[in-house]
Amino acid sequence: MNIKDEGIVLKELRFKETSKIVTILTKRHGKIKGMARGAYRPKSQLTVNTQPFSYNNYILFKGRNFYYINQADIIESFYTIRENVNRVVYGHYLLELADKSILEGDESYKLFLLLRKGLKILSKLDKSFLKFILSYELKFVSFLGYKPLLDSCIICGKEYLHNFKFDIEYGGIICNKCSLVESNCEYMDMAMYQAMKELLYTPLDRIDDINISKKTMFKLHEIMVKYILHKIDRKKFNSLDVLKTLNGQGGELYGNYFRDD
Ligand SMILES: [Zn+2]
């Protein structure tokens, strides 16, 4: 009952003395838990192939509670992510997004491809991290089934709005009138709206020419995080806490942290 699949390690957890349990997002079997026996032993063949970010070909045996990792061959280690603090922090955010949003057994082929593409781009990224993350979040939430609806008011259908908000509950723009009776709405201006639209419809590897002010990106990012957390029914992303800590008191979130623009 050996199966072959490729996958990206999202998380590792020590198990007993020398083993670990890894959460892997696979191409064809969705998110799985893999048991890597002896992965902490010196000279173990599995050490590198069971670290977060690493992308491998696996031969797995399906047990009752786990998939046992019998063999792993590296496809890409994405080691350059570890060379830059921004890449590491945001890389962990990409992994956490996948881990917290995808349930074991869920169909997640598109999300696997997105994560693979995201890590590939991130491993070479030197600037504009927040723009990349925003673009990623928009695609991610769309593949989860919650693509933001931006053409007309999500409640009454009114088009060509000049004043509107973003409705976290329904996932789209909402006119001021309708927003009076909806409780879960966030401030949104025209610059945020246009940036959201542009980043949503531009492929992840073609966002270089898009110019968005830092202020607009910070505000949009806050909305995206709230929106995703609401949809996956979670309270927070631990990887984003690390960002706040790195940035001091968390007052001006990310403010001094990004080197871009
Ligand atoms: Zn309306």
Side-chain angles (χ1 to χ4, degrees):
M1 266 271 289
N2 273 335
I3 55 161
K4 278 185 184 178
D5 203 350
E6 37 187 90
I8 297 166
V9 177
L10 305 178
K11 205 163 74 175
E12 60 181 340
L13 192 72
R14 197 172 194 126
F15 181 74
K16 291 186 179 167
E17 275 298 289
T18 59
S19 298
K20 59 172 144 172
I21 297 168
V22 281
T23 306
I24 306 170
L25 185 62
T26 66
K27 195 173 188 177
R28 288 184 299 276
H29 294 81
K31 192 178 86 170
I32 62 160
K33 289 243 191 307
M35 171 66 77
R37 281 171 295 191
Y40 281 108
R41 280 199 196 108
K43 292 183 194 167
S44 166
Q45 304 283 328
L46 289 177
T47 306
V48 180
N49 315 68
T50 51
Q51 282 170 352
F53 299 116
S54 75
Y55 170 35
N56 302 277
N57 266 315
Y58 290 104
I59 295 179
L60 307 159
F61 177 82
K62 195 175 190 304
R64 193 175 294 173
N65 301 312
F66 301 103
Y67 283 85
Y68 291 89
I69 301 174
N70 283 340
Q71 197 185 318
D73 296 298
I74 201 110
I75 299 171
E76 171 71 66
S77 66
F78 293 118
Y79 72 93
T80 55
I81 288 179
R82 296 187 174 85
E83 292 174 347
N84 172 310
V85 67
N86 286 287
R87 289 183 200 157
V88 173
V89 174
Y90 283 110
H92 277 288
Y93 178 50
L94 300 194
L95 300 184
E96 191 181 2
L97 270 174
D99 185 38
K100 288 204 164 143
S101 310
I102 303 167
L103 301 174
E104 281 174 54
D106 274 4
E107 211 285 292
S108 52
Y109 180 67
K110 273 181 160 181
L111 291 167
F112 169 83
L113 296 183
L114 180 68
L115 178 62
R116 188 174 67 177
K117 189 173 180 183
L119 292 177
K120 206 172 209 169
I121 296 170
L122 185 66
S123 69
K124 292 175 189 134
L125 205 64
D126 287 312
K127 59 182 173 67
S128 304
F129 287 95
L130 192 49
K131 189 168 70 178
F132 164 76
I133 284 298
L134 267 174
S135 174
Y136 187 93
E137 287 167 332
L138 282 159
K139 279 142 191 107
F140 184 83
V141 84
S142 301
F143 289 163
L144 274 183
Y146 306 111
K147 184 175 175 179
L149 298 169
L150 303 174
D151 290 334
S152 57
C153 171
I154 200 135
I155 304 288
C156 71
K158 196 176 167 196
E159 293 177 303
Y160 309 110
L161 300 175
H162 295 288
N163 294 298
F164 45 80
K165 289 180 176 168
F166 187 82
D167 190 319
I168 300 276
E169 182 67 39
Y170 292 102
I173 54 167
I174 181 167
C175 73
N176 276 355
K177 201 174 159 196
C178 292
S179 75
L180 293 174
V181 289
E182 291 296 327
S183 56
N184 204 354
C185 297
E186 294 287 324
Y187 170 86
M188 194 180 214
D189 58 30
M190 203 44 106
M192 292 163 74
Y193 170 78
Q194 271 156 1
M196 193 184 240
K197 208 164 185 178
E198 206 166 1
L199 289 174
L200 179 61
Y201 292 109
T202 307
L204 204 54
D205 49 5
R206 294 204 199 131
I207 56 172
D208 284 358
D209 297 333
I210 300 175
N211 282 311
I212 305 163
S213 78
K214 243 178 177 175
K215 209 172 145 193
T216 297
M217 287 198 286
F218 294 149
K219 286 190 284 187
L220 258 189
H221 186 240
E222 274 182 36
I223 289 184
M224 287 312 296
V225 171
K226 276 185 195 166
Y227 182 46
I228 296 170
L229 286 173
H230 180 72
K231 289 302 171 197
I232 64 173
D233 202 17
R234 296 277 188 157
K235 291 228 157 25
K236 64 169 187 167
F237 292 112
N238 299 326
S239 49
L240 293 180
D241 280 353
V242 178
L243 258 188
K244 287 183 208 168
T245 313
L246 282 173
N247 198 33
Q249 309 311 310
E252 194 197 344
L253 187 61
Y254 324 117
N256 306 313
Y257 197 64
F258 286 90
R259 291 187 298 149
D260 53 314
D261 304 325

